[in-house]
């Protein structure tokens, strides 16, 4: 249920942000999801690559650029 879009919005599923619409992270696949908390603490999950990325207290709002670089590194392997 946590990864199922809710009536609140197609990009939200029970405390997890979904990329189903490609709004949050346009360069990331639609199946990825993210938990975001206070202080911009972020947990980003890429189930296809069995990858979890955690970053804390970031002020830079360039999440898409960070995820784009991580995906490029994973795909290069």
């Amino acid at each position: 249920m946590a990864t199922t879009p809710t009536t609140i919005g197609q990009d939200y599923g029970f405390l997890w942000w979904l990329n189903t619409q490609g709004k949050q992270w346009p360069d990331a696949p639609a199946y990825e999801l993210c938990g975001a908390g206070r202080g911009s603490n972020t947990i980003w999950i890429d189930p296809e690559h069995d990858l979890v990325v955690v970053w804390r207290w970031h002020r830079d709002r360039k999440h898409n650029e960070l995820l784009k670089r991580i995906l490029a590194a994973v795909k290069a392997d």
Side-chain angles (χ1 to χ4, degrees), residues 17-77:
W17 293 100
L18 312 173
N19 199 37
T20 53
Q21 305 294 307
K23 294 178 187 176
Q24 295 273 37
W25 315 285
D27 292 313
Y31 59 79
E32 294 176 353
L33 60 145
C34 170
R38 189 164 194 256
S40 298
N41 294 315
T42 305
I43 302 168
W44 176 72
I45 300 173
D46 180 339
E48 183 174 305
H49 295 102
D50 198 26
L51 182 66
V52 175
V53 177
V54 177
W55 69 98
R56 302 181 58 217
W57 298 99
H58 53 87
R59 292 181 184 202
D60 186 0
R61 298 288 181 206
K62 297 179 183 176
H63 299 150
N64 187 62
E65 184 61 30
L66 173 64
L67 299 178
K68 187 172 152 181
R69 289 180 181 200
I70 292 168
L71 286 170
V74 170
K75 290 177 183 177
D77 247 355

